[in-house]
Amino acid sequence: MSAVVLVTGAATGIGRLTAGALAAAGHTVFASMRDPEGRNAALAENALDAAARDGGDLRVVELDVLSQESADRAVRTVVADAGRLDVVVHNAGHLMVGFAEAFSAEEMARLFDVNVLGTQRVNRAALPHMRERGDGLLVYVGSTTSVVMPPFLAPYVASKSAFDALALTTAYEVGRFGIESTIVMPGPFTSGTEHFPNATRPADQTVTRAYAALQPLMARNEAATSALFTPGVDADPMAVADEITRIVALPYGTRPGRTVVDFTEAAVADVNAVAQRAQDGFLTRMGFGELLRVRTGPAAA
């Protein structure tokens, strides 16, 4: 069954791949990005041309996750054009690379604004529509870095950990209204996305120079990450888009709470299983076990 899907951060990388894959699978996809008629006009046109070649229904909508007004307007556009909104793929995000001390609190706050609060803004725009219908799916593109934490990415790791916590705790609440949630946890990709090329570095060069002894380690961080990949395995971010497409296609009530797409064999799924057992037991002992299941049927609306 085809769905109406809104993908945030769909101009490049995993968002772009996911929007294209979902459209090719027969879904109506709204690929959102900032300024699609200006700075991202070429990217928007490329996405539309690719969908047209594949015969998919992909439409571009403007959405800046830093603005609640923009998120509200984007969701209104989707509902007006397609009649409903079934799935939101929370993909918009940014990367910061550098020594933790070198980042000012203000720089970190800007990253959290994109990676965490942007998700909250889009949820506040989309959830009223989903709650009214008693149906919907939230797909959160998280990161294995919320479990296995690499060095030299402190602001990013902290923000993705907060993103994961927000997704999980929101899932307990919206599940009472028939809304499913899946956290997709990609491992690292050193090619095929704009994450590392577009990463922000700290403005404070004085502190950065104070960590000169660690510069050689940070300089080989990307190569060290690539060395984790299983030999002969193509670490292609398209695998994340394919996994999201698979999850959207699953029957209602059968979608996983988490899934991992990782080519580094970091045992994140094993850690997730232990954490899930602990979390399930904790909520059950609190008397909130019902929050672990999505409510279905007329009572969900």
Side-chain angles (χ1 to χ4, degrees), residues 281-289:
F282 182 68
L283 262 67
T284 300
R285 288 189 292 115
M286 291 182 74
F288 296 150

Side-chain angles (χ1 to χ4, degrees), residues 3 12 32-33 35 71 76 101 119-122 138 165 178 180 209 213 228 236 243 249 256 281 291 298:
T12 61
S32 76
M33 61 189 72
D35 198 13
R76 286 197 301 269
E101 185 190 343
T119 301
Q120 180 70 358
R121 293 185 185 99
V122 175
L138 303 175
E180 294 182 287
R209 285 192 292 272
L228 295 172
D236 188 340
E243 177 65 357
L291 298 181

Side-chain angles (χ1 to χ4, degrees), residues 44-273:
E45 185 176 354
N46 289 342
L48 291 169
D49 288 347
R53 288 194 302 270
D54 295 338
D57 184 358
L58 185 145
R59 314 171 195 186
V60 172
V61 63
E62 183 171 14
L63 198 169
D64 182 353
V65 299
L66 295 176
S67 164
Q68 186 65 59
E69 180 182 357
S70 178
D72 293 342
R73 185 168 54 247
V75 169
R76 286 197 301 269
T77 297
V78 172
V79 174
D81 287 359
R84 67 184 196 277
L85 173 58
D86 301 312
V87 182
V88 174
V89 179
H90 288 292
N91 168 76
H94 188 61
L95 177 67
M96 283 184 169
V97 178
F99 304 113
E101 185 190 343
F103 290 100
S104 68
E106 290 73 21
E107 286 174 311
M108 285 195 176
R110 286 194 291 273
L111 186 69
F112 272 70
D113 206 4
V114 175
N115 291 3
V116 185
L117 301 184
T119 301
Q120 180 70 358
R121 293 185 185 99
V122 175
N123 271 348
R124 282 177 56 82
L127 283 173
H129 175 71
M130 291 182 170
R131 280 191 288 104
E132 183 178 1
R133 295 179 58 224
D135 188 20
L137 170 63
L138 303 175
V139 178
Y140 297 87
V141 182
S143 172
T144 58
T145 61
S146 60
V147 174
V148 285
M149 302 184 181
F152 315 126
L153 304 176
Y156 178 78
V157 170
S159 70
K160 295 308 282 188
S161 296
F163 172 93
D164 190 283
L166 178 63
L168 181 61
T169 51
T170 300
Y172 295 147
E173 299 165 6
V174 301
R176 295 292 82 198
F177 298 90
I179 301 166
E180 294 182 287
S181 301
T182 296
I183 302 172
V184 179
M185 302 176 72
F189 294 96
T190 54
S191 62
T193 75
E194 300 301 315
H195 235 30
F196 277 97
N198 291 341
T200 298
R201 305 280 175 162
D204 191 335
Q205 292 303 300
T206 299
V207 173
T208 295
R209 285 192 292 272
Y211 282 81
L214 293 181
Q215 282 287 0
L217 293 180
M218 188 166 70
R220 68 179 181 84
N221 188 41
E222 197 169 336
T225 301
S226 295
L228 295 172
F229 299 146
T230 303
V233 171
D234 181 16
D236 188 340
M238 188 65 203
V240 182
D242 290 340
E243 177 65 357
I244 293 171
T245 302
R246 182 188 74 85
I247 289 166
V248 171
L250 288 173
Y252 183 81
T254 68
R255 294 169 176 130
R258 288 184 183 275
T259 183
V260 178
V261 183
D262 180 30
F263 294 96
T264 69
E265 299 184 355
V268 170
D270 297 335
V271 175
N272 288 343

